[in-house]
Amino acid sequence: MKTRVTAGIVSLTLGGFAQAALAQDAAAVSGTSPWYLGMGMSKSQASIPDETITVVDAVFSTALGSGITVVDKDERSTGLKVVLGYTFNRHFSVERGYAVLGKPKANFDFRSGFSTIGAFNLEYSMTSIFADAVGTMPLGENWELLGRVGVNVGKTKINLNG
């Protein structure tokens, strides 16, 4: 029951924003184009799950009779984000974007006893596409409250070379 009430309140609120957006032309409000483009860059840290390393070790142990040793891990990379938005009025806009969330890597050495049989690397590549509804409400002359609701579809690609 609480879920339906919450969904109803959210629907009514978003419906109110949509009506206000239709009633007001963004170009008339700001005097410029309603479209905007945003970009961002940051340091990203994402770790390779220990379960992945355990599974890779189990595969090599079963198939080749050898175990793996993690030589090094690089869990830091650069994150990038590109956003295209449309402002309906000064209180409501929608955004669509693409983000590169990071590329953590690990280099492995697989061994049989004390001798090295070979080496390989594992790299995760994480990306996301998203769409957001963004609302703002003034809290005085210098402050605004910003709210964001959206959907996100993430993709993780794993490359194993060696």
Side-chain angles (χ1 to χ4, degrees), residues 31-78:
T32 62
S33 171
W35 292 97
Y36 61 92
L37 181 66
M39 294 171 48
M41 183 169 65
S42 67
K43 284 293 181 188
S44 172
Q45 181 164 349
S47 60
I48 295 174
D50 290 334
E51 296 83 16
T52 301
I53 295 171
T54 303
V55 168
V56 170
D57 189 27
V59 168
F60 279 106
S61 295
T62 303
L64 301 173
S66 63
I68 64 169
T69 301
V70 177
V71 176
D72 64 52
K73 282 179 153 180
D74 182 10
E75 297 179 336
R76 295 175 190 218
S77 60
T78 302

Short mmCIF file of all heavy atoms in Angstrom, two decimals, residues 31-78:
data_model
loop_
_atom_site.label_atom_id
_atom_site.label_comp_id
_atom_site.label_asym_id
_atom_site.label_seq_id
_atom_site.Cartn_x
_atom_site.Cartn_y
_atom_site.Cartn_z
N GLY A 31 16.26 33.58 -22.07
CA GLY A 31 16.73 34.38 -23.20
C GLY A 31 17.77 33.67 -24.04
O GLY A 31 18.37 34.27 -24.92
N THR A 32 18.03 32.40 -23.79
CA THR A 32 19.00 31.62 -24.55
C THR A 32 18.37 30.30 -24.97
O THR A 32 17.22 30.03 -24.67
CB THR A 32 20.26 31.33 -23.70
OG1 THR A 32 19.87 30.56 -22.56
CG2 THR A 32 20.93 32.61 -23.24
N SER A 33 19.16 29.48 -25.63
CA SER A 33 18.68 28.18 -26.06
C SER A 33 18.37 27.30 -24.85
O SER A 33 19.10 27.33 -23.86
CB SER A 33 19.75 27.50 -26.92
OG SER A 33 19.38 26.17 -27.19
N PRO A 34 17.34 26.48 -24.94
CA PRO A 34 17.02 25.59 -23.82
C PRO A 34 17.95 24.38 -23.75
O PRO A 34 17.95 23.66 -22.76
CB PRO A 34 15.58 25.15 -24.12
CG PRO A 34 15.45 25.27 -25.59
CD PRO A 34 16.32 26.43 -26.00
N TRP A 35 18.76 24.13 -24.76
CA TRP A 35 19.67 22.98 -24.79
C TRP A 35 20.98 23.33 -24.08
O TRP A 35 21.46 24.45 -24.17
CB TRP A 35 19.99 22.58 -26.22
CG TRP A 35 18.81 22.01 -26.94
CD1 TRP A 35 17.97 22.69 -27.77
CD2 TRP A 35 18.34 20.67 -26.87
NE1 TRP A 35 16.99 21.84 -28.23
CE2 TRP A 35 17.20 20.58 -27.70
CE3 TRP A 35 18.76 19.52 -26.21
CZ2 TRP A 35 16.48 19.42 -27.86
CZ3 TRP A 35 18.05 18.35 -26.37
CH2 TRP A 35 16.92 18.31 -27.19
N TYR A 36 21.54 22.37 -23.40
CA TYR A 36 22.86 22.56 -22.80
C TYR A 36 23.66 21.27 -22.87
O TYR A 36 23.10 20.17 -22.97
CB TYR A 36 22.76 23.07 -21.36
CG TYR A 36 22.05 22.17 -20.40
CD1 TYR A 36 22.75 21.22 -19.65
CD2 TYR A 36 20.67 22.27 -20.20
CE1 TYR A 36 22.09 20.40 -18.75
CE2 TYR A 36 20.02 21.46 -19.31
CZ TYR A 36 20.73 20.52 -18.58
OH TYR A 36 20.08 19.71 -17.69
N LEU A 37 24.96 21.42 -22.84
CA LEU A 37 25.89 20.30 -22.91
C LEU A 37 26.81 20.39 -21.70
O LEU A 37 27.33 21.46 -21.40
CB LEU A 37 26.71 20.36 -24.20
CG LEU A 37 27.72 19.25 -24.44
CD1 LEU A 37 27.02 17.91 -24.64
CD2 LEU A 37 28.56 19.57 -25.67
N GLY A 38 27.00 19.27 -21.04
CA GLY A 38 27.89 19.25 -19.88
C GLY A 38 28.89 18.12 -20.00
O GLY A 38 28.62 17.09 -20.62
N MET A 39 30.07 18.34 -19.43
CA MET A 39 31.10 17.31 -19.44
C MET A 39 31.76 17.30 -18.07
O MET A 39 31.85 18.33 -17.41
CB MET A 39 32.14 17.60 -20.52
CG MET A 39 31.57 17.50 -21.91
SD MET A 39 32.67 18.07 -23.24
CE MET A 39 34.18 17.28 -22.89
N GLY A 40 32.21 16.12 -17.67
CA GLY A 40 32.90 16.01 -16.40
C GLY A 40 33.99 14.97 -16.45
O GLY A 40 33.94 14.04 -17.26
N MET A 41 34.98 15.15 -15.60
CA MET A 41 36.07 14.19 -15.52
C MET A 41 36.44 14.06 -14.05
O MET A 41 36.43 15.03 -13.30
CB MET A 41 37.27 14.70 -16.32
CG MET A 41 38.42 13.74 -16.37
SD MET A 41 39.69 14.18 -17.58
CE MET A 41 40.32 15.69 -16.93
N SER A 42 36.75 12.83 -13.64
CA SER A 42 37.11 12.61 -12.25
C SER A 42 38.03 11.41 -12.13
O SER A 42 38.19 10.64 -13.07
CB SER A 42 35.86 12.39 -11.41
OG SER A 42 35.25 11.16 -11.79
N LYS A 43 38.60 11.27 -10.98
CA LYS A 43 39.35 10.05 -10.67
C LYS A 43 38.33 9.01 -10.24
O LYS A 43 37.43 9.28 -9.47
CB LYS A 43 40.37 10.29 -9.55
CG LYS A 43 41.58 11.03 -10.02
CD LYS A 43 42.35 10.17 -10.98
CE LYS A 43 43.60 10.84 -11.47
NZ LYS A 43 44.24 10.09 -12.51
N SER A 44 38.50 7.82 -10.75
CA SER A 44 37.57 6.74 -10.47
C SER A 44 38.32 5.60 -9.81
O SER A 44 39.45 5.30 -10.18
CB SER A 44 36.95 6.27 -11.79
OG SER A 44 36.19 5.12 -11.60
N GLN A 45 37.70 4.99 -8.81
CA GLN A 45 38.30 3.82 -8.19
C GLN A 45 37.26 2.72 -8.15
O GLN A 45 36.20 2.88 -7.57
CB GLN A 45 38.79 4.11 -6.78
CG GLN A 45 39.43 2.89 -6.16
CD GLN A 45 40.26 3.22 -4.94
OE1 GLN A 45 40.53 4.36 -4.65
NE2 GLN A 45 40.65 2.20 -4.23
N ALA A 46 37.57 1.63 -8.82
CA ALA A 46 36.69 0.47 -8.85
C ALA A 46 37.55 -0.77 -8.70
O ALA A 46 38.56 -0.91 -9.37
CB ALA A 46 35.93 0.42 -10.18
N SER A 47 37.16 -1.63 -7.81
CA SER A 47 37.99 -2.81 -7.56
C SER A 47 37.47 -4.03 -8.32
O SER A 47 36.28 -4.15 -8.59
CB SER A 47 38.04 -3.11 -6.06
OG SER A 47 36.75 -3.35 -5.57
N ILE A 48 38.40 -4.89 -8.66
CA ILE A 48 38.05 -6.17 -9.26
C ILE A 48 37.61 -7.09 -8.11
O ILE A 48 38.36 -7.25 -7.15
CB ILE A 48 39.24 -6.77 -10.03
CG1 ILE A 48 39.58 -5.87 -11.21
CG2 ILE A 48 38.94 -8.19 -10.49
CD1 ILE A 48 40.82 -6.26 -11.96
N PRO A 49 36.41 -7.64 -8.19
CA PRO A 49 35.92 -8.46 -7.08
C PRO A 49 36.83 -9.67 -6.80
O PRO A 49 37.34 -10.30 -7.73
CB PRO A 49 34.54 -8.93 -7.55
CG PRO A 49 34.16 -8.00 -8.64
CD PRO A 49 35.44 -7.52 -9.26
N ASP A 50 37.01 -9.98 -5.52
CA ASP A 50 37.81 -11.13 -5.13
C ASP A 50 37.22 -12.43 -5.68
O ASP A 50 37.95 -13.37 -5.98
CB ASP A 50 37.93 -11.22 -3.61
CG ASP A 50 38.80 -10.10 -3.04
OD1 ASP A 50 39.66 -9.60 -3.78
OD2 ASP A 50 38.59 -9.75 -1.87
N GLU A 51 35.90 -12.46 -5.85
CA GLU A 51 35.25 -13.65 -6.41
C GLU A 51 35.73 -13.93 -7.83
O GLU A 51 35.89 -15.08 -8.23
CB GLU A 51 33.72 -13.51 -6.41
CG GLU A 51 33.09 -13.41 -5.04
CD GLU A 51 33.14 -12.00 -4.47
OE1 GLU A 51 33.38 -11.02 -5.21
OE2 GLU A 51 32.96 -11.88 -3.24
N THR A 52 35.97 -12.88 -8.60
CA THR A 52 36.47 -13.04 -9.97
C THR A 52 37.85 -13.68 -9.96
O THR A 52 38.13 -14.61 -10.72
CB THR A 52 36.54 -11.68 -10.70
OG1 THR A 52 35.24 -11.11 -10.71
CG2 THR A 52 37.04 -11.84 -12.12
N ILE A 53 38.71 -13.21 -9.09
CA ILE A 53 40.06 -13.77 -8.99
C ILE A 53 40.00 -15.22 -8.54
O ILE A 53 40.71 -16.08 -9.05
CB ILE A 53 40.92 -12.91 -8.04
CG1 ILE A 53 41.10 -11.52 -8.68
CG2 ILE A 53 42.26 -13.56 -7.77
CD1 ILE A 53 41.73 -10.50 -7.79
N THR A 54 39.09 -15.53 -7.61
CA THR A 54 38.93 -16.91 -7.13
C THR A 54 38.46 -17.83 -8.26
O THR A 54 38.97 -18.95 -8.41
CB THR A 54 37.90 -16.96 -5.97
OG1 THR A 54 38.37 -16.09 -4.93
CG2 THR A 54 37.74 -18.36 -5.43
N VAL A 55 37.53 -17.37 -9.09
CA VAL A 55 37.03 -18.18 -10.21
C VAL A 55 38.13 -18.40 -11.24
O VAL A 55 38.32 -19.52 -11.73
CB VAL A 55 35.79 -17.52 -10.87
CG1 VAL A 55 35.44 -18.17 -12.19
CG2 VAL A 55 34.61 -17.58 -9.91
N VAL A 56 38.89 -17.35 -11.57
CA VAL A 56 39.99 -17.49 -12.53
C VAL A 56 41.02 -18.48 -12.00
O VAL A 56 41.51 -19.35 -12.73
CB VAL A 56 40.63 -16.11 -12.84
CG1 VAL A 56 41.91 -16.27 -13.64
CG2 VAL A 56 39.65 -15.23 -13.59
N ASP A 57 41.33 -18.39 -10.72
CA ASP A 57 42.27 -19.32 -10.10
C ASP A 57 41.76 -20.75 -10.18
O ASP A 57 42.50 -21.68 -10.50
CB ASP A 57 42.54 -18.92 -8.66
CG ASP A 57 43.68 -19.71 -8.03
OD1 ASP A 57 44.57 -20.16 -8.78
OD2 ASP A 57 43.68 -19.87 -6.80
N ALA A 58 40.46 -20.95 -9.92
CA ALA A 58 39.88 -22.29 -9.98
C ALA A 58 39.93 -22.86 -11.39
O ALA A 58 40.22 -24.05 -11.58
CB ALA A 58 38.43 -22.26 -9.47
N VAL A 59 39.69 -22.02 -12.40
CA VAL A 59 39.73 -22.48 -13.79
C VAL A 59 41.13 -22.93 -14.16
O VAL A 59 41.33 -24.01 -14.74
CB VAL A 59 39.23 -21.37 -14.76
CG1 VAL A 59 39.55 -21.71 -16.19
CG2 VAL A 59 37.75 -21.14 -14.57
N PHE A 60 42.15 -22.12 -13.83
CA PHE A 60 43.52 -22.49 -14.15
C PHE A 60 43.98 -23.71 -13.36
O PHE A 60 44.71 -24.55 -13.87
CB PHE A 60 44.48 -21.32 -13.94
CG PHE A 60 44.47 -20.36 -15.09
CD1 PHE A 60 43.85 -19.13 -14.97
CD2 PHE A 60 45.07 -20.69 -16.30
CE1 PHE A 60 43.83 -18.25 -16.04
CE2 PHE A 60 45.06 -19.81 -17.36
CZ PHE A 60 44.44 -18.59 -17.23
N SER A 61 43.56 -23.80 -12.11
CA SER A 61 43.95 -24.95 -11.29
C SER A 61 43.38 -26.24 -11.87
O SER A 61 44.04 -27.27 -11.92
CB SER A 61 43.46 -24.77 -9.86
OG SER A 61 44.11 -23.69 -9.27
N THR A 62 42.12 -26.19 -12.31
CA THR A 62 41.46 -27.37 -12.87
C THR A 62 42.01 -27.71 -14.25
O THR A 62 42.33 -28.87 -14.53
CB THR A 62 39.93 -27.14 -12.97
OG1 THR A 62 39.45 -26.80 -11.67
CG2 THR A 62 39.23 -28.36 -13.47
N ALA A 63 42.13 -26.72 -15.12
CA ALA A 63 42.52 -26.98 -16.50
C ALA A 63 44.01 -27.28 -16.65
O ALA A 63 44.39 -28.15 -17.43
CB ALA A 63 42.15 -25.78 -17.38
N LEU A 64 44.85 -26.56 -15.93
CA LEU A 64 46.29 -26.68 -16.15
C LEU A 64 47.05 -27.23 -14.94
O LEU A 64 48.25 -27.45 -15.03
CB LEU A 64 46.88 -25.32 -16.52
CG LEU A 64 46.30 -24.66 -17.76
CD1 LEU A 64 46.85 -23.26 -17.92
CD2 LEU A 64 46.61 -25.49 -19.00
N GLY A 65 46.37 -27.40 -13.86
CA GLY A 65 47.05 -27.86 -12.66
C GLY A 65 47.98 -26.80 -12.11
O GLY A 65 49.01 -27.12 -11.50
N SER A 66 47.67 -25.53 -12.34
CA SER A 66 48.53 -24.44 -11.87
C SER A 66 47.68 -23.42 -11.12
O SER A 66 46.48 -23.30 -11.35
CB SER A 66 49.23 -23.76 -13.04
OG SER A 66 48.28 -23.17 -13.89
N GLY A 67 48.29 -22.68 -10.23
CA GLY A 67 47.62 -21.62 -9.51
C GLY A 67 48.07 -20.27 -10.00
O GLY A 67 49.05 -20.16 -10.73
N ILE A 68 47.36 -19.22 -9.61
CA ILE A 68 47.73 -17.88 -10.06
C ILE A 68 48.25 -17.05 -8.90
O ILE A 68 47.92 -17.30 -7.74
CB ILE A 68 46.56 -17.15 -10.75
CG1 ILE A 68 45.41 -16.92 -9.76
CG2 ILE A 68 46.10 -17.87 -11.97
CD1 ILE A 68 44.35 -15.97 -10.29
N THR A 69 49.04 -16.07 -9.24
CA THR A 69 49.52 -15.08 -8.29
C THR A 69 49.21 -13.71 -8.87
O THR A 69 49.51 -13.46 -10.04
CB THR A 69 51.05 -15.21 -8.09
OG1 THR A 69 51.34 -16.51 -7.63
CG2 THR A 69 51.55 -14.19 -7.10
N VAL A 70 48.60 -12.85 -8.07
CA VAL A 70 48.32 -11.49 -8.52
C VAL A 70 49.62 -10.71 -8.44
O VAL A 70 50.19 -10.56 -7.37
CB VAL A 70 47.22 -10.83 -7.67
CG1 VAL A 70 47.00 -9.40 -8.11
CG2 VAL A 70 45.93 -11.62 -7.73
N VAL A 71 50.11 -10.25 -9.58
CA VAL A 71 51.35 -9.48 -9.63
C VAL A 71 51.10 -8.04 -9.23
O VAL A 71 51.80 -7.48 -8.39
CB VAL A 71 52.00 -9.56 -11.03
CG1 VAL A 71 53.24 -8.70 -11.10
CG2 VAL A 71 52.30 -11.00 -11.39
N ASP A 72 50.12 -7.40 -9.86
CA ASP A 72 49.76 -6.04 -9.46
C ASP A 72 48.32 -5.75 -9.87
O ASP A 72 47.78 -6.39 -10.76
CB ASP A 72 50.71 -5.00 -10.04
CG ASP A 72 50.69 -4.92 -11.55
OD1 ASP A 72 49.60 -4.79 -12.13
OD2 ASP A 72 51.76 -4.99 -12.16
N LYS A 73 47.74 -4.78 -9.18
CA LYS A 73 46.38 -4.32 -9.46
C LYS A 73 46.42 -2.81 -9.65
O LYS A 73 47.13 -2.11 -8.93
CB LYS A 73 45.45 -4.62 -8.29
CG LYS A 73 44.99 -6.02 -8.17
CD LYS A 73 44.11 -6.09 -6.93
CE LYS A 73 43.08 -7.17 -7.00
NZ LYS A 73 42.25 -7.21 -5.80
N ASP A 74 45.67 -2.33 -10.61
CA ASP A 74 45.51 -0.89 -10.81
C ASP A 74 44.01 -0.62 -10.78
O ASP A 74 43.31 -0.88 -11.76
CB ASP A 74 46.12 -0.45 -12.14
CG ASP A 74 46.03 1.04 -12.35
OD1 ASP A 74 45.65 1.76 -11.40
OD2 ASP A 74 46.34 1.51 -13.46
N GLU A 75 43.52 -0.15 -9.65
CA GLU A 75 42.09 0.05 -9.47
C GLU A 75 41.68 1.51 -9.65
O GLU A 75 40.54 1.85 -9.44
CB GLU A 75 41.67 -0.47 -8.10
CG GLU A 75 41.91 -1.97 -7.97
CD GLU A 75 41.53 -2.52 -6.61
OE1 GLU A 75 41.52 -1.75 -5.63
OE2 GLU A 75 41.26 -3.71 -6.54
N ARG A 76 42.61 2.36 -10.05
CA ARG A 76 42.29 3.77 -10.26
C ARG A 76 42.39 4.11 -11.73
O ARG A 76 43.29 3.66 -12.42
CB ARG A 76 43.26 4.64 -9.47
CG ARG A 76 43.11 4.45 -8.00
CD ARG A 76 44.14 5.22 -7.24
NE ARG A 76 44.07 4.80 -5.86
CZ ARG A 76 44.21 5.61 -4.84
NH1 ARG A 76 44.47 6.86 -5.05
NH2 ARG A 76 44.13 5.16 -3.63
N SER A 77 41.45 4.88 -12.18
CA SER A 77 41.47 5.34 -13.57
C SER A 77 40.72 6.66 -13.65
O SER A 77 40.28 7.19 -12.65
CB SER A 77 40.86 4.28 -14.50
OG SER A 77 39.53 4.01 -14.15
N THR A 78 40.54 7.15 -14.85
CA THR A 78 39.84 8.41 -15.06
C THR A 78 38.41 8.14 -15.49
O THR A 78 38.17 7.37 -16.40
CB THR A 78 40.56 9.25 -16.13
OG1 THR A 78 41.90 9.46 -15.71
CG2 THR A 78 39.88 10.58 -16.33
#
